[in-house]
Amino acid sequence: AGSERWTAAQAVCRVLGRLERFPKVLSVLQREGVSTLAGRGGASEHQSPAAFRRPEIGSFPSFLLAERGSEGFPERSQRDLRRAVLEGILEDPPSDFLWLPDVLRGLWKE
């Protein structure tokens, strides 16, 4: 149970740490009230996620998520972020999850 949660957390962090590969995730994170990336870049002004990186904290972009229950983080954005992160995991699964896209495709066909 503990190792499976750790593997799932690593998969989520993998997507959040590679925003340049997952523009849908970046798009949700840039919405007002979702994270500290809000207002950075946009449809007419795109900033590379590399601009958000801080070497002192490793290779992850530097951003904070709003608290789930906060007024500025609407349910729609929470849902969109969960979906975008899951799509990122399915698009480029880590080795422990290579089987997942095939299983889900099989379920969707039924």
Side-chain angles (χ1 to χ4, degrees), residues 7-67:
T7 301
Q10 285 179 312
V12 170
C13 288
R14 184 172 188 247
V15 171
L16 293 176
R18 299 165 66 200
L19 295 176
E20 64 277 358
R21 288 200 35 119
F22 305 105
K24 286 183 182 179
V25 176
L26 179 60
S27 170
V28 176
L29 290 172
Q30 288 177 325
R31 292 180 190 168
E32 195 62 42
V34 174
S35 79
T36 55
L37 295 181
R40 295 188 189 182
S44 61
E45 166 196 324
H46 177 73
Q47 277 189 314
S48 164
F52 309 135
R53 295 189 189 282
R54 292 176 46 199
E56 67 271 18
I57 60 172
S59 64
F60 286 94
S62 176
F63 67 90
L64 298 172
L65 285 174
E67 290 184 42

Side-chain angles (χ1 to χ4, degrees), residues 52-108:
F52 309 135
R53 295 189 189 282
R54 292 176 46 199
E56 67 271 18
I57 60 172
S59 64
F60 286 94
S62 176
F63 67 90
L64 298 172
L65 285 174
E67 290 184 42
R68 193 174 84 187
S70 69
E71 195 172 305
F73 195 178
E75 182 64 37
R76 178 174 174 256
S77 291
Q78 292 175 40
R79 184 185 63 242
D80 292 348
L81 182 58
R82 285 190 301 265
R83 177 174 290 202
V85 169
L86 178 58
E87 287 173 357
I89 292 169
L90 294 174
E91 177 185 317
D92 186 20
S95 59
D96 288 336
F97 287 114
L98 288 174
W99 55 270
L100 189 57
D102 292 332
V103 168
L104 291 178
R105 272 192 293 277
L107 292 174
W108 289 331

